[in-house]
Amino acid sequence: MLKCLLKRKRTHYYLQKGENQLDKAEIIGLFQKVAENPGWQARQWKEERKGKIIGFLLTDVPEELIHAAGFLPYGICGGQNRLDSAIAHLQNWACSYVRSSLALALERKLDFLDGLIIPQPCDTTRMVLGIWQHASPLPFLQNFRLPRQVNRPSAREYLIGELAQLKEQLEIYRGARISNEELRNSIKLYNNNRSLLRKLYLIHEQNPEILSTKVLYTLIKGSMLMPREKVNELLTKLLKALEGETSPSGNDHIRLIISGTILEPFELLDYLDEGGGVIVGDDLQNGFRYIEGDVKEDVDPLEALADRQLNRIPFAGYDLERNPRRFFLSKMAVQKKARGVIFLHLKHCEPENYDYYDNAQALEKAGIPSIRIETEFGITSLGQILTRIQAFLELLGGK
Amino acid sequence: MTKRKTFKTAAYMKELMAKYYQEGKEAREKGIPVVWITAVAPVEIIYAAGLFPYYPENFGALAAARKVADKLSMAAEARGYAQDLCGYARCGIGDAYAEEHPVGEIVKPDLLFCCNTQCGSLSKWFEVASRFYNAPYFLLDSPQIGPEFDKLSKQYFLAQLKELISFLEEFTGKPFDYDRLKEVLRLSKEACRLWNEILDTAMLKPAPFGFFDASFHMAPIVTWRGTEEAVNYYRALKEEVDERIKEGITAIPEERYKVYFDHIPLWPKLRWFSDFFAEHHALVAVSQYTHSWAYSFDLDRPLESLAENYMGEFVNRCFDYRVQLKINFMKKYNCDGFVLFSNRSCKPNAFGLYDKRNIISKLTGLPGVVFEADMSDLRFFSESQVRAELEPFFEQLKSR
Ligand code: SF4
Ligand code: SF4
């Protein structure tokens, strides 16, 4: 198994060879190392480039704008820290993603950040900026106030305005304007990244033996933590290395969809892999929702960024009367011939919770079994969750 | 329990609220569509369009006050709605599914109108309800604003008010009546002015009226705002408060301290809290919550004025603005300390309170405390815990 291979190689892959000669296992190993030490590459970049790093909470922030300003966008993915340090600032019934991210900052594990942009899909993110400002001040701290209704003309106009405002703030911080050319280049770079990750997603779907669930999501996560130019190079190489192996798997995998905000904990994916699961679709902030849909390159860049945002996979944070997410989910499940859907919910995530019943009902109507698993950053024992996942896989006809 | 002279207007209010619920029930029979609306939303537009506004939050508060919030909530919880969602929303969603209706059934909507100035819970709840009741839904989106009003958000809000008006025109099949809007705004403004004047009497020492009285008398400013009824009611209440001032009747016996309270009262424990504070000779004098409905409209700029008032409401403001607002209230009412309620139901108001307490104390030198509970669900309330959290605060007040 690939996993065993990685375990053996992980410790010495990087030091011995230059990055140019990395093979498949080594590239994957590099992403895994980044996922385990999220600040590693960012710190290195900062030291080499003497540049500024702007963090963001997942994932409705236009990274292209940050990148175009010459800063390194860094996705704060939460951590397995104990969250104790956050308790003096934020009640423990706030979602653990925000609590653990704040805890990382308080524990100085994000000390390489010069700035932070917080999108506002929910009340928790709406309130956390002020707390952050006082508890862990940063030179560049901004809210990104997304429209919460997305299907009337006013939403688009406002979002373009808000993007322009964010761009202006970045320009002030940078001390120079962001040219259209710079922005177009960044858009291209990010489009390229999304397209590479989508290709890898498809390879996983067709043959999880050569690209496991765990590895797939690690590649997506790692992309948020490294300079995107480097990510794209590595992913291009990886795709090339996989070329010879891309024949469809002969095995009968359990085709699954994951629905939720943020995928956590990653350990859970090992069990999906071992239980014979393959992820054929998801709507996660750090999953398919992150890589789906490109930004148009031939129109006004801010309008293009706005249009991508408004047309992303529906998410509970943005209100749409008829809850298109449930249709999206059941349609995807049918199209992708999924055998089941796993709702992976972060405890205390309000938007997700409000939509859950409707989403589950829609799947039931479509005849697709689902299970709801509640997780938290910083939990120590996965035992119960795993038992439930195993039972679900067995129910769906696993091995 | 402390003895108190009850307000004569209390009976008037009960009558008025009964009339409100009755009108809600009869509206549809009379062919007047029922519009679900949120408490901090430009209801004036709904009245001007000839529709009946119904406040499901008020239903939630009523269920809470009658101590049945947990029962209603369970019907929602059985469907996967978590215990830590807003109690009002759980009651509303629960009532949709519940077989028993201990506070009467919620009035079903023909249309839903939510302004998310307050929170994201209302918009999700209304969304769920719009599907459940199969009624159209309009969300008036209100981006959070910083210390200063920004042009972009205001334009966005105004553009949406226009979208709302077109939406209502299509729904009613009638052109929107701007003259009627002006008249409704005038009534709204007058009721708000009276309400504000009544709240301000808590500045007197001793005061005839405090936060717990305001919590009791606020239902009409929320539900009847924009009508003659609200104006008449608050005129009567103002008269009674003035009489009390003349007669020397005070809100609590022996008022020694004034306290600022944030934010919503614990509805099922209103009486318990008011007695508890009174026992310690502390008058809860002011809260940004009850002041939410102290709007002031400019009749010559109706839509802009609606945008400024509803968008600019404290619940839609940033951290530092809210800190300053609380401090301003404390100064204006000459408070000796402050109590902040970390309300499990209400993330947008609870998150940040720990830091706010420290910052406010540092800036004002006043003692302050944060306590934990839920505004409606007694499963999250422990009398001994709240006592333990608040007693040291009362000690601090005494030693000042
Ligand atoms: S996980 Fe949910 S509650 Fe937490 S920040 Fe994201 S949307 Fe908000
Ligand atoms: S109590 Fe808080 S969360 Fe609930 S409706 Fe009111 S503002 Fe929203």
Side-chain angles (χ1 to χ4, degrees):
Chain A
M1 281 270 292
L2 182 64
K3 224 180 327 164
C4 317
L5 198 77
L6 285 173
K7 267 185 196 137
R8 250 187 292 121
K9 282 207 167 188
R10 197 156 13 167
T11 42
H12 50 89
Y13 66 92
Y14 187 55
L15 305 170
Q16 288 173 353
K17 289 189 195 173
E19 279 171 24
N20 277 335
Q21 295 116 41
L22 297 178
D23 66 20
K24 169 185 162 185
E26 287 164 332
I27 294 171
I28 293 171
L30 178 62
F31 275 87
Q32 276 174 335
K33 187 173 171 195
V34 180
E36 279 159 27
N37 311 279
W40 169 47
Q41 289 280 314
R43 282 205 172 86
Q44 211 171 58
W45 180 89
K46 193 170 180 116
E47 218 178 281
E48 281 165 18
R49 302 278 294 268
K50 307 282 173 254
K52 293 199 161 80
I53 304 182
I54 307 284
F56 60 90
L57 293 189
L58 307 184
T59 55
D60 284 317
V61 167
E63 286 169 73
E64 291 88 340
L65 273 180
I66 306 173
H67 182 269
F71 307 136
L72 177 72
Y74 177 88
I76 300 178
C77 296
Q80 285 306 337
N81 40 344
R82 292 202 29 227
L83 315 185
D84 296 353
S85 53
I87 201 72
H89 303 277
L90 199 52
Q91 285 85 336
N92 62 6
W93 29 276
C95 82
S96 56
Y97 167 59
V98 167
R99 272 188 298 138
S100 88
S101 298
L102 181 64
L104 287 176
L106 294 167
E107 288 158 19
R108 307 204 51 75
K109 290 188 181 131
L110 299 175
D111 56 0
F112 50 88
L113 292 186
D114 300 282
L116 172 67
I117 299 175
I118 301 182
Q120 295 192 332
C122 64
D123 288 339
T124 307
T125 43
R126 198 155 114 135
M127 299 318 294
V128 80
L129 183 110
I131 299 173
W132 209 296
Q133 215 157 25
H134 289 276
S136 176
L138 284 167
F140 184 89
L141 200 48
Q142 291 281 324
N143 269 331
F144 180 51
R145 305 168 309 164
L146 290 145
R148 304 283 285 276
Q149 53 94 12
V150 294
N151 48 4
R152 294 196 307 265
S154 57
R156 183 173 186 268
E157 204 172 312
Y158 164 74
L159 180 53
I160 294 168
E162 182 68 3
L163 282 162
Q165 217 156 264
L166 184 63
K167 178 167 169 263
E168 200 187 313
Q169 291 302 323
L170 286 163
E171 288 173 334
I172 293 170
Y173 188 52
R174 175 199 204 188
R177 297 201 70 94
I178 297 171
S179 72
N180 265 355
E181 200 193 329
E182 282 172 319
L183 188 48
R184 287 220 164 88
N185 284 339
S186 302
I187 288 175
K188 221 175 249 155
L189 180 76
Y190 275 79
N191 278 345
N192 189 19
N193 176 244
R194 286 184 279 257
S195 130
L196 290 165
L197 286 167
R198 286 197 300 265
K199 281 184 193 145
L200 289 157
Y201 205 109
L202 207 64
I203 290 178
H204 162 76
E205 182 191 335
Q206 287 165 350
N207 194 339
E209 266 97 19
I210 62 165
L211 201 74
S212 69
T213 307
K214 175 88 163 276
V215 169
L216 172 69
Y217 288 102
T218 302
L219 296 176
I220 299 176
K221 181 172 177 178
S223 295
M224 299 177 193
L225 305 170
M226 275 191 269
R228 209 58 56 120
E229 294 82 354
K230 180 169 177 177
V231 169
N232 287 358
E233 259 177 54
L234 290 168
L235 294 181
T236 310
K237 281 200 188 93
L238 179 62
L239 271 166
K240 228 185 170 111
L242 290 173
E243 246 168 34
E245 303 179 43
T246 45
S247 59
S249 158
N251 288 342
D252 178 24
H253 294 282
I254 307 172
R255 299 173 66 80
L256 297 167
I257 283 171
I258 304 183
S259 171
T261 33
I262 296 169
L263 179 73
E264 185 64 26
F266 268 50
E267 287 73 29
L268 193 143
L269 300 175
D270 287 331
Y271 288 81
L272 294 180
D273 284 327
E274 273 160 29
V278 55
I279 306 303
V280 297
D282 75 67
D283 58 13
L284 297 158
Q285 299 281 18
N286 54 352
F288 198 65
R289 189 169 180 276
Y290 182 64
I291 62 176
E292 179 250 12
D294 284 332
V295 182
K296 281 209 181 99
E297 292 178 20
D298 50 356
V299 294
D300 175 79
L302 290 188
E303 289 187 25
L305 285 171
D307 286 333
R308 169 169 193 260
Q309 178 61 35
L310 293 172
N311 292 303
R312 290 178 82 166
I313 291 176
F315 168 58
Y318 312 110
D319 296 285
L320 287 151
E321 314 84 271
R322 308 256 63 95
N323 184 10
R325 182 136 168 238
R326 59 190 167 146
F327 301 127
F328 168 82
L329 271 177
S330 48
K331 201 168 133 199
M332 178 163 69
V334 172
Q335 265 173 3
K336 291 275 181 186
K337 300 196 174 60
R339 275 201 249 166
V341 173
I342 298 175
F343 288 103
L344 199 60
H345 285 174
L346 273 188
K347 218 171 166 184
H348 310 300
C349 171
E350 291 197 329
E352 277 298 79
N353 192 205
Y354 275 109
D355 279 357
Y356 163 67
Y357 182 62
D358 276 359
N359 292 345
Q361 292 282 99
L363 289 175
E364 205 181 306
K365 254 190 218 147
I368 294 147
S370 71
I371 183 176
R372 179 171 185 238
I373 308 266
E374 266 198 320
T375 64
E376 267 188 293
F377 281 84
I379 42 171
T380 42
S381 154
L382 282 176
Q384 244 196 347
I385 292 179
L386 299 175
T387 316
R388 292 190 56 215
I389 289 205
Q390 270 160 355
F392 186 60
L393 292 181
E394 273 166 33
L395 172 93
L396 300 180
K399 294 162 225 168
Chain B
M1 203 176 273
T2 343
K3 279 236 157 53
R4 244 172 307 212
K5 204 172 162 214
T6 43
F7 276 84
K8 282 180 280 181
T9 33
Y12 182 3
M13 191 192 69
K14 284 201 178 118
E15 214 176 275
L16 197 59
M17 290 315 290
K19 183 173 164 201
Y20 172 74
Y21 290 118
Q22 194 54 32
E23 282 201 6
K25 270 187 213 137
E26 287 169 5
R28 199 171 302 116
E29 291 161 27
K30 290 190 205 145
I32 303 170
V34 173
V35 181
W36 272 26
I37 188 168
T38 49
V40 183
V43 64
E44 293 77 9
I45 291 184
I46 300 301
Y47 277 122
L51 307 169
F52 182 82
Y54 178 79
Y55 292 85
E57 279 160 272
N58 188 258
F59 176 87
L62 190 70
R66 300 252 179 93
K67 302 183 176 48
V68 293
D70 50 347
K71 274 202 199 82
L72 280 173
S73 174
M74 279 177 208
E77 286 163 33
R79 282 156 183 88
Y81 295 96
Q83 261 186 20
D84 66 323
L85 295 178
C86 167
Y88 294 162
R90 280 184 283 127
C91 283
I93 295 171
D95 184 74
Y97 291 106
E99 308 211 325
E100 281 174 50
H101 304 278
V103 279
E105 239 176 299
I106 209 162
V107 178
K108 295 183 180 64
D110 295 301
L111 190 146
L112 299 96
F113 169 46
C114 168
C115 178
N116 64 3
T117 292
Q118 280 163 271
C119 64
S121 271
L122 286 166
S123 52
K124 292 310 290 180
W125 168 21
F126 273 38
E127 219 192 289
V128 169
S130 92
R131 298 192 289 271
F132 184 88
Y133 297 109
N134 199 19
Y137 168 51
F138 189 97
L139 173 68
L140 178 59
D141 182 26
S142 180
Q144 190 184 48
I145 42 185
E148 302 296 330
F149 237 101
D150 64 290
K151 216 168 119 197
L152 177 69
S153 315
K154 195 168 153 189
Q155 275 168 350
Y156 177 40
F157 202 86
L158 275 171
Q160 292 179 87
L161 285 181
K162 288 176 190 147
E163 283 171 340
L164 170 68
I165 288 171
S166 317
F167 174 79
L168 293 175
E169 283 179 331
E170 202 175 308
F171 181 81
T172 57
K174 281 184 229 141
F176 187 73
D177 187 343
Y178 283 90
D179 292 332
R180 175 95 185 94
L181 177 64
K182 257 196 180 171
E183 174 56 15
V184 176
L185 270 177
R186 189 187 64 74
L187 291 168
S188 205
K189 185 180 176 182
E190 178 58 8
C192 290
R193 188 187 65 77
L194 287 161
W195 177 237
N196 207 5
E197 272 185 24
I198 295 165
L199 294 178
D200 273 353
T201 61
M203 280 191 271
L204 296 170
K205 193 156 186 175
F209 191 89
F211 168 72
F212 294 111
D213 302 304
S215 301
F216 180 81
H217 290 278
M218 66 177 260
I221 194 70
V222 178
T223 56
W224 283 107
R225 185 176 77 256
T227 67
E228 290 281 1
E229 277 84 352
V231 175
N232 294 340
Y233 179 73
Y234 289 106
R235 225 172 250 149
L237 182 59
K238 179 78 193 5
E239 262 169 36
E240 186 171 5
V241 171
D242 287 342
E243 260 168 45
R244 287 190 162 214
I245 296 173
K246 261 188 235 134
E247 288 166 24
I249 302 172
T250 56
I252 59 167
E254 275 186 75
E255 175 193 322
R256 279 184 215 150
Y257 320 102
K258 284 198 199 292
V259 170
Y260 171 89
F261 186 89
D262 214 64
H263 132 284
I264 296 182
L266 280 87
W267 296 114
K269 289 281 161 191
L270 200 56
R271 192 63 201 256
W272 184 85
F273 266 87
S274 82
D275 287 341
F276 184 46
F277 277 86
E279 254 168 50
H280 290 87
H281 308 289
L283 174 78
V284 180
V286 55
S287 161
Q288 59 187 12
Y289 176 62
T290 38
H291 271 84
S292 297
W293 294 276
Y295 303 110
S296 178
F297 299 106
D298 178 351
L299 304 187
D300 294 326
R301 302 181 304 124
L303 294 187
E304 271 117 283
S305 184
L306 283 169
E308 285 153 13
N309 272 280
Y310 287 105
M311 244 197 139
E313 203 28 79
F314 80 86
V315 274
N316 198 39
R317 303 306 282 261
C318 66
F319 187 98
D320 288 342
Y321 179 95
R322 290 199 207 182
V323 166
Q324 196 51 53
L325 184 73
K326 291 181 219 292
I327 292 177
N328 292 349
F329 276 130
M330 288 173 210
K331 283 199 179 134
K332 186 174 170 194
Y333 284 74
N334 218 346
C335 290
D336 303 288
F338 59 97
V339 174
L340 307 179
F341 169 22
S342 166
N343 179 0
R344 219 185 144 93
S345 263
C346 190
K347 292 184 167 73
N349 284 296
F351 291 170
L353 288 184
Y354 298 164
D355 286 289
K356 283 175 188 161
R357 182 206 27 216
N358 297 337
I359 293 168
I360 295 171
S361 277
K362 210 153 116 203
L363 292 175
T364 61
L366 295 178
V369 63
V370 181
F371 75 96
E372 310 282 332
D374 185 275
M375 67 184 183
S376 57
D377 197 327
L378 287 174
R379 288 173 295 179
F380 298 112
F381 175 79
S382 149
E383 198 175 301
S384 58
Q385 186 203 324
V386 172
R387 271 187 192 280
E389 282 165 334
L390 290 185
E391 295 285 3
F393 167 74
F394 290 126
E395 285 309 310
Q396 274 177 304
L397 279 186
K398 256 184 240 158
S399 64
R400 261 167 64 85

